[in-house]
Amino acid sequence: MDRFSFLNAAHSQFIEDLYQQYLKYPDSLEPSWKAFFQGFDFALENYGEDDNYSAAPSQALNAAAVNSFSQNGEIPEDIKKEFKVLDLINAYRHRGHLFTKTNPVRERRHYEPTLAIENFGLSQADLNKKFNSATEIGMPQAATLQEIITNLEKIYCDSIGVEYMHMESVEEKDWIRKWLQVNENHATLSADEKTEILHKLNQAVAFENYLHTKFVGQKRFSLEGGESLIPALDQLITRSSQLGVDEVVLGMAHRGRLNVLTNIFGKSYKQIFSEFEGKEFEEDVFSGDVKYHLGSSKKITTANGEEVAINLTPNPSHLETVASLVMGICRAKVDHKYKGDYGKVLPIVIHGDGAIAGQGIVYEVAQMMTLEGYKTGGSVHIVVNNQVSFTTNYLDARSSIYCTDIAKVTNSPVMHVNADDVEAVVHAIRFAAEYRAKFGKDVYIDLLGYRKYGHNEGDEPRFTQPNLYKQISKHKNPREIYKEQLFSENVVSDEVLKKMETEFKALLDENFDASKEIQKNTMDIFMEDDWKEFPLCKRGALQSPVDTSFDISKLKELAVQMSTLPKDKKFINKITRLFETRLKQIDANTLDWALGEWLAYVTLLSEGKGVRISGEDVERGTFSHRHAVVKTEDSEEEYIPLRHISDSQFDVYNSHLSEYGVLGFDYGYAMASPNTLTVWEAQFGDFVNGAQIIVDQYLVAAEEKWKIQDGLVMLLPHGSEGQGAEHSSARLERFLTLCANENMIVGNFTTPANLFHALRRQLKFGFRKPLVVMSPKSLLRHPRVISTFEDLANGQFQPIIDDATADAAKVEKLVLCSGKLYYDLLAKKEELGRNDVALVRLEQLYPIQEDKIAEIFAKYANRKELIWAQEEPENMGAWSYILRNFRDTGIQVIAPVPSGAPAPGSHKMFERNQTAVINSVFGTNDAPNSRPVTA
């Protein structure tokens, strides 16, 4: 831009010439000019080098003034003052949010320096002087300093405080600046719009009052003090639908959830009232959940006539967990339902002020904003800011000034809004909708309100905040405040207001009475349209065999195709040799683990299914086995073989260094795309402990709590390889402890064929269940871990693999095991020639294939010993689970001694432990073998 457009042509050209001289030869300038340019750097801090913002030029100044300061080299006082006014404008843009009227129940903290004009070298005598700098804030012409300050106060220091000057994008800052200057950053609303806003406020306030009266002392996590959230959401959905959004996915914790369910999602009031009665659910198989955790999916018609699908994601009490699922759900819908159009789906996440500042997953999710594998086209974050977290004051809840300071990490704008000023709330919400639609990035709205009661309605908040709650007890709710405003504006009459309240009260009474007739509560299926082809799994269905076979000639053809690199691209020699080795394996009919996995994916793709793999380093694979993405040597151009097989969507993404956030994202992705095999792989299996909340709250319990099916696959590298306590155990025992009612599948596979069939089975089931795989490390390249095309094409998943070489009549010791240990035991058995020992592998630990295990026990009826062998310490691994399931069989365990760590740090101790287990199985006393540290 012309940096000096607020000056007249003569001034600006002269100063521009001096500035160019300053850039080239700063010491050649008269000292006062040099200091002048250094001090201000002429608004570059504001606008950046490429800012294209321009304002109307000022009226011409006296040419004699130009001649005067061009001759004597001094800066005229009026020019100095213009730049001081510019500095004041800049300060309002940077710091005006610190001096707003945004807190409805407390005095704001005091910040220094203030925006007093004396702090900018201006005085009261300047208030009536006109300055051309006024054009920089959208004023049509020069204006007095007092008029400029009044304008700035309205834009930056009224009921909305704006933070955007931290952003790097000149284009975005320019757009925001212009948006704020329209009508001085205040809403322009018609009488009908104001009446509709009052109607939504009335619903929000009356609903909470009704619950408080009818269900005294019951937890409901009321919205009182933040009721303007309801018109805010209503306006956000309406405005976004006008901007092209067809579907909304919303995530929020409990505060205000019941209000959102009824007054945004249209859940019947009688159903909510019935849930307060604590009735059982119709389906006995479901545990159900508390009313303020449940989700909902509806299609609504906005005030403007657009139809929008809206989804409220079910969530547990782990407040911010749901945000990651919202992002995954939205991305799946973008990928599959809306064919890559990010403008069609809007993620909305509603936070509490304590949670957004205190929970680490907020940061993990925020960092997804522009990542190729995780972006959603921008999210709207709304903070229901109660200024209290349970009993903790905000000064004890964060070190940052604002709870929304996470926004600065992603250069996202923030609007802090007084929640009592509902028109300001609506204005801010419209900004959020328009900014997100324009730039596809996150935006944050901080609704500063209060919490009328304690954390739940049974708490006494005066115990910890007596002064605050003394003020709150005397404070009018947002409906009363807005009602008085509209009454004074003659927008609505007193009769209309009373009618609105009376009719809504009658509606609630009618629904309250009707709720008494409901015998049992029902649970809606979240995103039912997406799951109509997948009925819930019937008990025992997981035990039934599933046809996962595939035509062998087509299988071989696909194997060659996916393992052949294009001749016109130059890859590094190691990659070329690796793919040549794969072709040799294919030719020799010896398929290793990587080929088994790849062939599962490629066959599903050829059948029209989608595949998504996500996690740290999954493109290459942590142990350099997958190479799903290869790069050319010189340009680093990516080549993804499985994208050249069919038109089906294959995605593989290295994630950022996050487990909790990414696992939640991928769980959400699988929740919204039942025809896609969604895989999350941990870099090492023990890293899943960083995402344990997703496992506990969603993976294992969501079907019982919320009727949610999910077919997510978790690949967790597991096994004692001599690497120490870390990276040895994916905590198999934790998953087995969480298994019940066929809620998931847990396996520890030993053959590529079983991996192939298990992965294919995920999409061949007529329902969806999570699959947890204790993936191998050393077995990835073990010479005995191979399968044939016939195993893949003609076989099926084997939950239990018998000892093919055992003569049952001679077997005295039946050893059950799983995973990598099998190959160590097999090598010893063959070395010793022990035909009295049978090694049987439990490939699928949960659910145990009961008919098959009964056959095994019957076959080896002559056994004298029944052993469970594991390499994990006795207090870990599968032993306690095995004992629980085989308690009447006399089974005994062979395992390393109990330990607080999954594996020893000493490699010598590791060798001793492994050898001790093997010796115990075979009754030998051999010295420890030297085993290399692998993987």
Side-chain angles (χ1 to χ4, degrees), residues 43 213 267 574:
T213 303
K267 184 171 182 175
K574 282 187 176 180

Side-chain angles (χ1 to χ4, degrees), residues 331-614:
R331 180 55 182 266
K333 289 181 178 291
V334 167
D335 285 350
H336 302 291
K337 188 173 181 179
Y338 298 105
K339 308 305 179 187
D341 188 346
Y342 290 94
K344 293 294 184 184
V345 187
L346 172 64
I348 304 172
V349 183
I350 300 175
H351 310 265
D353 51 314
I356 193 174
Q359 297 286 300
I361 192 173
V362 177
Y363 181 86
E364 295 182 37
V365 172
Q367 284 288 12
M368 294 176 178
M369 184 179 74
T370 59
L371 300 184
E372 188 59 34
Y374 306 90
K375 64 185 180 182
T376 58
S379 305
V380 176
H381 299 264
I382 302 175
V383 181
V384 179
N385 190 337
N386 300 314
Q387 308 183 56
V388 180
S389 306
F390 206 152
T391 66
T392 304
N393 279 314
Y394 69 93
L395 290 172
D396 297 315
R398 61 180 183 268
S399 296
S400 59
I401 292 177
Y402 296 114
C403 62
T404 52
D405 282 341
I406 185 71
K408 295 181 175 69
V409 170
T410 53
N411 285 312
S412 298
V414 185
M415 280 193 167
H416 307 279
V417 194
N418 187 323
D420 274 359
D421 187 343
V422 68
E423 291 192 6
V425 171
V426 167
H427 190 62
I429 282 293
R430 289 180 176 179
F431 165 81
E434 291 174 21
Y435 173 84
R436 189 263 179 185
K438 173 74 175 173
F439 297 105
K441 293 177 61 180
D442 290 5
V443 56
Y444 292 74
I445 304 297
D446 179 18
L447 293 182
L448 274 106
Y450 52 92
R451 190 185 67 199
K452 187 173 181 181
Y453 304 107
H455 176 66
N456 62 63
E457 288 62 35
D459 289 336
E460 175 48 80
R462 288 177 177 80
F463 287 159
T464 46
Q465 284 85 22
N467 290 331
L468 173 62
Y469 275 87
K470 190 181 297 182
Q471 181 69 25
I472 289 172
S473 67
K474 298 181 289 186
H475 194 76
K476 292 181 179 179
N477 67 52
R479 179 186 66 179
E480 297 306 309
I481 294 170
Y482 195 50
K483 185 168 71 171
E484 291 173 7
Q485 177 187 326
L486 297 192
F487 188 72
S488 67
E489 293 175 0
N490 293 319
V491 173
V492 294
S493 66
D494 193 44
E495 290 75 18
V496 169
L497 294 173
K498 288 180 178 177
K499 182 181 179 185
M500 183 185 295
E501 293 171 15
T502 302
E503 288 179 350
F504 191 66
K505 170 67 164 54
L507 176 65
L508 295 177
D509 283 336
E510 180 184 334
N511 276 267
F512 182 76
D513 293 338
S515 71
K516 302 294 184 182
E517 304 302 318
I518 298 175
Q519 298 300 312
K520 287 190 175 183
N521 291 326
T522 58
M523 196 185 306
D524 297 331
I525 295 178
F526 180 62
M527 295 192 300
E528 187 171 12
D529 286 350
D530 296 280
W531 287 90
K532 57 189 175 185
E533 297 177 5
F534 301 92
L536 288 161
C537 173
K538 294 181 179 179
R539 188 62 58 87
L542 277 182
Q543 303 276 4
S544 303
V546 177
D547 183 6
T548 51
S549 61
F550 194 84
D551 180 76
I552 193 165
S553 60
K554 179 66 174 175
L555 187 65
K556 291 178 179 178
E557 179 186 327
L558 290 171
V560 171
Q561 190 177 348
M562 72 183 191
S563 303
T564 304
L565 294 175
K567 302 296 184 185
D568 60 341
K569 300 181 188 295
K570 180 173 171 50
F571 302 94
I572 64 172
N573 290 334
K574 282 187 176 180
I575 288 293
T576 302
R577 288 197 299 271
L578 185 146
F579 274 75
E580 288 172 350
T581 300
R582 284 183 176 174
L583 288 170
K584 290 176 182 177
Q585 289 178 296
I586 291 166
D587 189 54
N589 199 13
T590 54
L591 310 177
D592 66 3
W593 195 271
L595 280 170
E597 180 188 0
W598 267 50
L599 285 167
Y601 301 147
V602 76
T603 54
L604 289 171
L605 292 168
S606 72
E607 293 170 336
K609 306 297 186 183
V611 176
R612 174 190 167 93
I613 312 170
S614 162

Side-chain angles (χ1 to χ4, degrees), residues 845-863:
L845 289 154
Y846 185 84
I848 289 177
Q849 195 77 18
E850 295 170 358
D851 55 347
K852 183 67 176 177
I853 201 71
E855 289 178 15
I856 293 290
F857 285 169
K859 177 180 177 181
Y860 298 103
N862 294 332
R863 67 181 187 274

